[in-house]
Amino acid sequence: MSLWQRPLKRLQAMSYDKMRSIYAEHGTYRFRINSLKGFVSLFLVGTVLSVALAACSGGGTGSNASSETPNATPVAASKDNVELTLVSFAVTKAAHEAIIPKFIEQWKKDHNQTVVFKQSYGGSGSQTRAVIDGLEADVVHLALAGDTSKIEKAGLIQPGWEKEVPNNGIVSKSVAALVTRPGNPKNIKTWEDLSKDGIKLITADPKTSGVARWNFLALWNSVIKTGGDDAKATEFVTKVYKNVPLLTKDAREATDAFFKQGQGDALINYENEIILAEQKGEKLTAIIPDVNISIDNPIAVVDKNVDKHGTREVAEGFVKYLYTPEAQQQFAKLGFRPVDDTLTLSKEVADKFPKVKTLGTVADFGGWDGINKKFFADGAIFDQIQAKKK
């Protein structure tokens, strides 16, 4: 590596604040220059820092960077077309496909700019790993806040993301539903019935699917909320998973295995998936158990990527749009319980979504860090249950 390349290489890994602090030191001549090589290196660093700092602070002409996001590269603001990458969990696809054209129309009207979406759908856990491993999402809509927190811990999302938008970042909600074959030939009515001999249950794998983690919590919660302890909950959930012939990758595959392939006597899935299946003409029997879990799905802007792509303005605009009554109505039409209280109180929504008597929450179990450690980490309760099946 040449003398000219070395200081440039170091700068690539530096943060804005680090560059600013070094620049301050240069400005007051705190470095000792012991050689011509040191002088040239210092000159180069000072020059590059000056340019880098001007770029980062939006000091150049034509910069559209927001004062609130000094690290942003606002390349998209001046373009006629801007591309936005949305990475989401499988069961939101229908909702986003209905909402996105409305947002594109509104953004074009307000900003005279065309937004082109790239979309990726899959199991929430798999999508999370893909983003961490390099899938450059601008916006992530995942099945659980714990997945979003993993992306935050990887340095891609700034802490406090959940405070940037309403409802602590939760943009869609659902509850767990039990689906049976037409006429319910196995007489499955409660969570307890899933543990009986001769029952085959279809659900997704909690290792890859956020929906499946909610399913697991719904089963566990059904014991705890009715007076049982961890020992009774473990015993019950172990019996249920012995009745699971296969674990699919995500909720959509579980739905397909049950409906299209005819596997299983019962399916645990999101209530919204059941509503969507009914809208597509499926004839099914579904039960919303009285003891249930509040399935809360967060949305977040991926700060590192939007600043790299220059898409922060449109990404934040899209996230905010998802909280509007128009977008929330689309979520509700496709089976998600709206987070907008005014919609929740409407007769149309009330008729569509039955009330749940006893609703558990993630907070009841100490938050996702505690849940993942207790249930889904390697060697934790879910792995122990699976090991007993072998």
Side-chain angles (χ1 to χ4, degrees), residues 180-220:
T180 70
R181 294 299 173 192
N184 195 7
K186 294 293 183 76
N187 198 31
I188 298 168
K189 296 181 179 179
T190 66
W191 297 117
E192 180 64 30
D193 291 332
L194 298 177
S195 66
K196 294 178 179 178
D197 292 340
I199 299 294
K200 290 185 179 180
L201 170 69
I202 302 299
T203 184
D205 187 348
K207 291 289 188 177
T208 58
S209 168
V211 175
R213 295 195 178 195
W214 287 113
N215 293 349
F216 182 99
L217 285 180
L219 292 164
W220 189 275

Side-chain angles (χ1 to χ4, degrees), residues 369-380:
D369 285 343
I371 288 169
N372 288 331
K373 183 178 180 180
K374 180 174 182 176
F375 297 117
F376 307 120
D378 290 344

Side-chain angles (χ1 to χ4, degrees), residues 76-88:
S78 60
K79 292 186 176 181
D80 293 334
N81 301 305
V82 58
E83 184 176 89
L84 201 67
T85 299
L86 168 67
V87 173
S88 191

Side-chain angles (χ1 to χ4, degrees), residues 137-191:
D138 296 297
V139 176
V140 288
H141 182 189
L142 299 172
L144 43 116
D147 283 343
T148 313
S149 294
K150 289 177 184 177
I151 300 175
E152 175 192 331
K153 290 174 182 177
L156 300 176
I157 296 176
Q158 291 297 316
W161 57 269
E162 68 278 12
K163 303 300 181 184
E164 297 297 320
V165 289
N167 204 41
N168 286 322
I170 303 303
V171 75
S172 58
K173 298 172 71 104
S174 194
V175 294
L178 275 175
V179 190
T180 70
R181 294 299 173 192
N184 195 7
K186 294 293 183 76
N187 198 31
I188 298 168
K189 296 181 179 179
T190 66
W191 297 117

